[in-house]
């Protein structure tokens, strides 16, 4: 009879904390299978979020820990990522072929919200998820530029009703900019804009998305309320700068999502610090620690604190945001970590429904 027990395996796994779930894999409900065959131990974990760049290292760390257990000759740890659809607002029907919708919002314009949305979508795709991005800023769409889609490109139409999203860098993209002339401003009242947003979301033939990132217009007006009432949003990411005025508007955004029962997944702070390219001097041009204070005030996570960087701006304007233009850079790694944390926060939203593990123990 094997001297190893399920309790020993679980106790070992409990010593390690998943940095995105902030829990050990057993407590987080990730353990799916433990198979003990004499001195050989096989463990299978299932992460409910996209973590393609993380899971191999995570598996190796747990494997080494298990192999240090007395009586273990060989350990195998398999980590899978299985992304499910998670609960959104009550009485809002699910969107066809889209599992989870993430709203990226800000109370104020000019804080880097669209750049954050683009890099978040690309980072999720790099982690192995199927991702789309919808540019919901009807008056000032910019995702087409950020994804390097040539001006004048138009989506194809299926069955005279559904737009086929364009694809760039492995992400499905849809924007009002693809349907209008870039030199002609959209002069619409609120109800027309809201109607256009709903049409863009529901009449785009998204193809089996794990995540749809919605780049919201700034503010807390008609479009935001329409989204909250008619689109099943799994959670929202709030983008701000440390500046007091930006934080004031960001608080309004947090409060709005709370009132319509959409969880705030976390805060992204842009332009946190400027580092001089000549001398290396660091200066907090827009204040310091504002994003952290906002996150703490509402009990949510500070997902990322990003510098005021010329590279971020140039790469976005050039149609290849930082996450893919310079994927090994420190800034890209910050976006990847934020993307995994966003997915993990969504996965935790209904953790109680997670299946229990299947344990198998047999004689040598």
């Amino acid at each position: 009879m094997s001297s190893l027990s399920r309790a020993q395996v679980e106790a070992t796994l409990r010593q390690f904390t998943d940095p995105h779930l902030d829990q050990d894999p057993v407590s987080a409900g990730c353990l799916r299978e433990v198979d003990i065959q004499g001195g050989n131990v096989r463990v299978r974990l299932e992460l409910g979020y996209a973590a393609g760049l993380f899971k191999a290292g995570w598996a190796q760390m747990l494997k080494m820990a298990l192999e240090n257990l007395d009586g273990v000759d060989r350990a195998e740890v398999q980590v899978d990522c299985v992304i499910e659809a998670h609960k959104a607002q009550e009485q809002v029907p699910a969107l066809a072929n889209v599992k989870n919708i993430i709203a990226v919002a800000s109370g104020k314009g000019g804080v880097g919200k669209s750049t954050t949305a683009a890099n978040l979508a690309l980072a999720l795709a790099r982690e192995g998820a199927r991702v789309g991005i919808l540019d919901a800023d009807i008056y000032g769409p910019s995702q087409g530029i950020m994804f390097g889609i040539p001006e004048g490109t138009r989506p194809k139409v299926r069955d005279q009703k559904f737009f086929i999203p364009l694809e760039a860098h492995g992400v499905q993209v849809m924007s009002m900019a693809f349907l209008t002339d870039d030199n002609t401003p959209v002069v619409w009242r609120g109800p027309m804009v809201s109607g256009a947003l709903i049409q863009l979301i529901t009449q785009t033939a998204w193809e089996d998305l794990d995540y749809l990132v919605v780049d919201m217009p700034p503010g807390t007006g008609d479009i935001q309320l329409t989204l909250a009432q008619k689109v099943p949003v799994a959670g929202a990411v709030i983008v701000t700068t440390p500046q007091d005025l930006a934080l004031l508007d960001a608080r309004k955004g947090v409060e709005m999502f709370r009132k319509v029962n959409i969880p705030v997944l976390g805060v992204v702070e842009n332009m946190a610090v400027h580092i001089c390219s000549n001398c290396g001097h660091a200066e907090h041009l827009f204040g310091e620690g504002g994003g952290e204070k906002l996150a703490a005030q509402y009990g949510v996570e500070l997902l990322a604190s990003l510098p005021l960087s010329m590279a971020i701006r140039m790469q976005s304007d050039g149609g290849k945001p930082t996450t893919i233009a310079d994927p090994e850079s420190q800034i890209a790694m910050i976006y990847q970590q934020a993307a995994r944390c966003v997915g993990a926060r969504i996965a935790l939203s209904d953790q109680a429904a997670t299946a229990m593990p299947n344990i198998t123990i047999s004689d040598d």
Side-chain angles (χ1 to χ4, degrees):
M1 178 71 72
S2 172
S3 61
L4 292 173
S5 67
R6 163 188 170 179
Q8 287 175 290
V9 172
E10 287 198 5
T12 301
L13 295 176
R14 287 182 187 275
Q15 296 174 18
F16 296 86
T17 300
D18 183 317
H20 313 109
L21 297 170
D22 293 327
Q23 298 180 61
D24 66 81
V26 179
S27 300
C30 298
L31 187 59
R32 289 292 179 273
E33 185 179 345
V34 175
D35 185 6
I36 301 175
Q37 304 278 350
N40 296 328
V41 179
R42 181 178 180 276
V43 170
R44 186 170 67 86
L45 303 177
E46 194 173 280
L47 303 180
Y49 61 96
L53 302 181
F54 165 75
K55 65 180 184 179
W58 183 229
Q60 182 63 24
M61 182 185 298
L62 298 177
K63 167 185 163 69
M64 291 172 63
L66 289 171
E67 288 184 339
N68 284 330
L69 270 176
D70 288 339
V72 174
D73 300 321
R74 179 177 176 275
E76 178 186 346
V77 177
Q78 178 182 337
V79 179
D80 299 320
C81 297
V82 180
I83 302 165
E84 304 289 352
H86 293 275
K87 183 180 178 182
Q89 310 95 299
E90 296 287 349
Q91 299 179 336
V92 178
L95 190 62
N97 300 321
V98 178
K99 291 179 180 177
N100 301 288
I101 298 177
I102 303 165
V104 178
S106 68
K108 184 177 178 62
V111 298
K113 170 186 53 59
S114 293
T115 301
T116 298
N119 278 289
L120 178 62
L122 290 164
L124 287 167
R126 285 193 70 218
E127 297 291 344
R130 292 184 60 84
V131 183
I133 188 165
L134 174 75
D135 196 344
D137 193 346
I138 304 297
Y139 294 118
S142 56
Q143 291 301 339
I145 294 173
M146 291 191 177
F147 276 82
I149 296 172
E151 182 179 342
T153 305
R154 298 286 184 261
K156 295 180 180 178
V157 179
R158 178 191 298 166
D159 299 330
Q160 299 182 332
K161 181 178 181 182
F162 294 101
F163 298 113
I164 307 299
L166 303 177
E167 187 165 324
H169 309 309
V171 173
Q172 298 173 42
V173 187
M174 189 60 195
S175 171
M176 179 58 74
F178 304 154
L179 308 176
T180 60
D181 187 332
D182 286 350
N183 297 317
T184 304
V186 176
V187 186
W188 290 346
R189 293 187 181 274
M192 295 176 68
V193 174
S194 299
L197 170 63
I198 296 301
Q199 279 191 286
L200 277 180
I201 293 178
T202 60
Q203 293 183 217
T204 296
W206 305 108
E207 187 177 345
D208 298 326
L209 298 183
D210 295 311
Y211 302 104
L212 173 61
V213 177
V214 180
D215 179 15
M216 300 291 294
T220 54
D222 288 345
I223 290 183
Q224 288 78 6
L225 290 174
T226 297
L227 188 88
Q229 292 167 354
K230 297 185 178 181
V231 178
V233 181
V237 173
I238 303 296
V239 182
T240 186
T241 67
Q243 187 180 18
D244 288 343
L245 286 174
L247 289 166
L248 181 65
D249 287 336
R251 288 189 183 94
K252 295 176 183 177
V254 174
E255 292 288 359
M256 183 204 71
F257 283 113
R258 284 182 143 196
K259 287 180 179 177
V260 295
N261 297 316
I262 293 175
V264 174
L265 304 171
V267 173
V268 171
E269 180 186 55
N270 283 327
M271 309 177 203
V273 62
H274 173 254
I275 299 176
C276 179
S277 57
N278 291 323
C279 68
H281 173 67
E283 190 170 10
H284 297 275
L285 298 178
F286 297 100
E288 186 175 359
E292 187 175 2
K293 292 174 186 174
L294 177 67
Q297 179 182 352
Y298 289 99
V300 297
E301 186 174 355
L302 179 63
L303 297 167
S305 184
L306 291 145
L308 179 62
S309 166
M310 184 178 294
I312 295 176
R313 193 271 300 168
M314 292 178 66
Q315 289 159 348
S316 296
D317 287 352
K320 291 186 70 176
T322 307
T323 303
I324 54 168
D326 193 4
E328 302 304 318
S329 67
Q330 182 180 4
I331 291 173
M333 291 299 102
I334 293 173
Y335 282 125
Q336 292 298 149
Q337 175 72 7
R340 291 192 291 264
C341 287
V342 165
R345 297 278 81 74
I346 294 173
L348 286 170
S349 63
D350 52 7
Q351 184 188 64
T354 304
M356 296 298 291
N358 175 35
I359 310 294
T360 304
I361 301 178
S362 64
D363 294 338
D364 189 3

